[in-house]
Amino acid sequence: MPALAELFRLFLSGKHLNRMAEPALWAELEQHEPAYAGLFAALGFELRVDARGFAWFHSTDASSNIGKISRQLALLFMVIFDAQANAGKALQRFTDWLIDREWLAEVHEQQKDLLDAEGLSPDGLIDLLGRACTLGFAVAEPAGWRLLPAVCRYLDHFEGLAAASRDDDNEADAAPEESGDDVLNDEESD
């Protein structure tokens, strides 16, 4: 396991490994995944490898600072995906999107109230994208930034919330019918 120290440092610092950003390191992890997972587990860390091309140390413990950063990243990704959906872009091809300062300023203007409530100015969004790069959710390029597959962790969460919301709506829609059945049953029993 020649990349043990490098992988451990990367994951321990809270970063994600992305296949498209670090293909050699990814290949090393794939080749020896059970050995790495077993060794990290013996050290008290849970390695998660997603087939979509990213890996990280999973933790249920989060400091308040990580919680704030995660909440702001979720908001950043949400407004980016919302703006791209409104532009008719294929959301599953998010790794193809080039995000530059001008486009980010437009997104801030579109979602100004929401982002201001979180204390995120246009410069704050740029700083947050820098943080996203540090954690392995994005990569900086000369003309801007590109999102990396690790963003799927947030997408999965967004889709879970949307499904739960749909379920709640369906239950709310079904409730009057059940009430109607109850009323009908009550009337039938009279």
Side-chain angles (χ1 to χ4, degrees), residues 47-118:
L47 174 66
R48 291 206 177 166
V49 179
D50 191 292
R52 293 172 289 190
F54 57 95
W56 74 102
F57 273 168
H58 180 74
S59 174
T60 54
D61 297 332
S63 69
S64 60
N65 191 38
I66 294 295
K68 179 182 178 185
I69 291 168
S70 185
R71 185 180 68 243
Q72 288 183 336
L73 285 173
L75 183 58
L76 170 68
F77 297 141
M78 187 182 75
V79 297
I80 288 173
F81 276 83
D82 186 57
Q84 296 290 38
N86 290 338
K89 298 276 180 84
L91 299 184
Q92 293 303 321
R93 300 193 56 149
F94 64 86
T95 56
D96 295 343
W97 303 339
L98 178 64
I99 299 168
D100 62 21
R101 289 176 180 267
E102 293 77 24
W103 185 80
L104 210 53
E106 289 175 28
V107 169
H108 186 274
E109 192 58 35
Q110 293 169 6
Q111 302 285 346
K112 186 171 178 27
D113 292 340
L114 183 64
L115 294 170
D116 284 349
E118 187 60 33

Side-chain angles (χ1 to χ4, degrees), residues 158-189:
F158 295 156
E159 289 175 359
L161 291 174
S165 178
R166 282 192 301 273
D167 289 347
D168 288 347
D169 289 346
N170 289 340
E171 287 177 17
D173 291 343
E177 292 177 18
E178 290 175 9
S179 298
D181 289 341
D182 290 340
V183 170
L184 183 59
N185 289 338
D186 288 344
E187 289 173 357
E188 287 173 349
S189 64

